Amino acid sequence: MGEGGVIAGQIFNGISVASILLLAALGLALSFGVMNVINMAHGEMLMLGGYLSYLACRVLPGPGGFLVALAVAFGGTFLFGALLEVIVIRRLYGRPLDTLLATWGISLILQQGARSLFGPIGVEVVAPHWLNGSVSMHGTLAGLDLPYVRLFIIVLAIAVLGLVALFIAKTAWGLRLRAVHQDREMAEALGVNTRTVDLVVFALGAGVAGLAGSVLALISPVTPTVGQSYIVYAFLVVIVGGLGSLVGTALAALLVGLFSCSLQIFTSVSLADVLLLVLVILFIQFRPKGIVVRRSRAIEA
């Protein structure tokens, strides 16, 4: 493979990583933008989605089993997120430090629970036969293969982003969400049930993170700590993109994924992560509100 093929391969890998980061960060962007809540257990929603996919594929091992696993991962984490919001998060609004400590404790409980049920060694989800193989490039990119699995992840991330954008822009619930995001007090005065909106937003974010865990299970084992490997990057994406902005989150995920994979051509993975953190620190010094600035009284408060 020539130099052009190597560079194109790293760009493709960066887009693939960005797709997973986008799915992992969407929920954080929504929950913080609307609810002003930082969920330290968000990575465990990704882990939960991976394990649910593993169980679903064990029950339905056929070619369509993984599509069912995607639905199970989304539905299971959506319901768990709703339960978490009702039992814990709802009682801690306006208390950011207590929320951080509570969700961090929940993340530790979920990790230990997964370790007890599935063991410390990761479990694997076997990709269906229609995701085996790859697209072989020719010409100047001869020797470059684009795996179907990673292409599927990219397409799924784009589809989920589009569906979430349509949900926010075209539905009654999306209208309520935008109203609460802009001015919670005024939305309450106009009759919007903000508690129900918070519940839907938090559960939706958890469900999307579950999808991220499901597709991640196709390319790496699901372990009790798999969520911790991605949650830091998800927070970076939300900060760089701009709190509560879907467009900013998508752009930031793409930038973080491409920058990280591009650096790995010239240096080690560890040094690439260090340089990425340095870049993010420099970026927020000059643009602390992120790529896309969305005005919101919830955030400004």
Side-chain angles (χ1 to χ4, degrees):
M1 184 187 302
E3 182 179 347
V6 173
I7 295 175
Q10 287 300 101
I11 291 175
F12 176 75
N13 289 336
I15 296 174
S16 175
V17 171
S19 300
I20 297 176
L21 290 179
L22 175 61
L23 292 175
L26 271 179
L28 286 175
L30 289 173
S31 61
F32 194 90
V34 175
M35 304 163 62
N36 203 19
V37 167
I38 300 176
N39 179 18
M40 296 299 293
H42 190 75
E44 278 55 55
M45 302 300 103
L46 187 147
M47 175 200 73
L48 180 60
Y51 279 120
L52 288 174
S53 296
Y54 166 75
L55 294 175
C57 288
R58 288 286 299 271
V59 175
L60 297 171
F66 185 71
L67 296 179
V68 176
L70 284 175
V72 170
F74 176 81
T77 50
F78 182 95
L79 292 176
F80 185 85
L83 183 65
L84 182 62
E85 196 278 338
V86 170
I87 295 177
V88 179
I89 304 298
R90 181 171 296 184
R91 305 174 187 277
L92 299 176
Y93 288 145
R95 298 156 58 186
L97 181 58
D98 292 344
T99 305
L100 283 173
L101 291 174
T103 53
W104 181 56
I106 291 169
S107 74
L108 296 179
I109 293 172
L110 291 175
Q111 287 179 39
Q112 187 56 47
R115 191 174 289 109
S116 299
L117 289 173
F118 299 97
I121 301 176
V123 299
E124 295 185 355
V125 175
V126 179
H129 68 83
W130 48 273
L131 285 179
N132 294 330
S134 60
V135 177
S136 298
M137 307 302 290
H138 303 283
T140 57
L141 300 180
L144 175 63
D145 294 326
L146 307 180
Y148 289 151
V149 169
R150 292 188 177 271
L151 289 171
F152 175 77
I153 293 173
I154 294 171
V155 172
L156 179 66
I158 295 173
V160 171
L161 178 63
L163 289 174
V164 171
L166 286 174
F167 172 78
I168 293 175
K170 300 296 183 180
T171 67
W173 278 108
L175 179 61
R176 297 185 185 100
L177 187 154
R178 284 180 280 134
V180 173
H181 178 263
Q182 290 297 321
D183 194 323
R184 178 176 291 268
E185 289 75 17
M186 182 59 69
E188 286 181 342
L190 293 174
V192 176
N193 189 334
T194 56
R195 285 197 169 187
T196 304
V197 172
D198 291 339
L199 174 63
V200 171
V201 168
F202 195 85
L204 178 62
V208 174
L211 285 178
S214 183
V215 295
L216 181 61
L218 292 173
I219 58 177
S220 65
V222 183
T223 66
T225 58
V226 65
Q228 297 300 310
S229 303
Y230 283 84
I231 190 63
V232 174
Y233 295 100
F235 275 116
L236 291 180
V237 167
V238 173
I239 292 170
V240 172
L243 300 176
S245 170
L246 292 184
V247 175
T249 301
L251 291 175
L254 185 60
L255 289 175
V256 170
L258 288 175
F259 185 81
S260 178
C261 289
S262 297
L263 281 179
Q264 292 175 21
I265 299 177
F266 309 102
T267 184
S268 64
V269 175
S270 299
L271 184 56
D273 289 341
V274 171
L275 293 175
L276 175 63
L277 290 173
V278 171
L279 178 66
V280 170
I281 292 172
L282 292 175
F283 177 84
I284 61 178
Q285 293 298 317
F286 295 98
R287 197 171 179 83
K289 292 187 177 181
I291 297 174
V292 179
V293 179
R294 296 286 301 273
R295 294 188 60 82
S296 169
R297 291 177 181 248
I299 296 177
E300 292 170 358

